[in-house]
Amino acid sequence: MPFTNADWLPTFEELEVPEIGLSSAPLRAGAHHFGKYCDNQCKEFMLCYSEEKDPRKCVKEGKEVTRCGMEFFQKIKNSCAEQFTQYWKCIDQSGYDMHFRRCRSTQAEFDKCVFENLGQERPNLGYFSKVRVHHTQRPKPSTEVKLPEPIPDLPKYDPNKPLPDSTKLGQRSFMN
């Protein structure tokens, strides 16, 4: 997509946000609880992204998802660090696909700790696949469609006007 000088781009200061400094195994281990903990923020971001079709307009919502993720993993670190570490290390060492099936015992310990300290149960299977209505305070974006100029009307047909010579020759289906 080409840009022109008229296009607005956010500044580096607007894009600056602290990153969640975790690798794939801890993110995968905490994904179910993180998704439920930050459900509203994630839905707000995805609603903005799907309605606006322009990621530049959703920077604020993206920052809110990152802030919520930082808050969630900080709470996990403060209350369930040992169980979480055992769980993500098990997932990391479970194979190239990091499957959960080999780590159900450490998962149960981690889920129990999250429930006791954060009061959040692990979401049921299919929780994120269910259709759920999200209510937002964000105004619906306006969709202005710039229409092309209308085509001018064809000239009126005058039966008394003589036909041009080209129409008298008929159809030319082959050339000699």
Side-chain angles (χ1 to χ4, degrees), residues 29 33 80 82-92 94 99-114 122:
H33 290 290
C80 301
E82 183 180 333
Q83 293 88 343
F84 182 64
T85 304
Q86 289 175 354
Y87 183 41
W88 75 256
K89 283 186 176 180
C90 178
I91 289 175
D92 194 32
S94 68
H99 207 279
F100 296 109
R101 70 178 162 264
R102 295 181 187 97
C103 305
R104 295 300 181 195
S105 60
T106 54
Q107 175 186 334
E109 292 175 19
F110 175 61
D111 290 345
K112 181 181 176 188
C113 181
V114 170
R122 184 179 185 88

Side-chain angles (χ1 to χ4, degrees), residues 161-172:
K161 187 177 177 184
L163 293 174
D165 290 338
S166 61
T167 59
K168 294 177 184 173
L169 298 174
Q171 181 180 2
R172 296 182 183 181

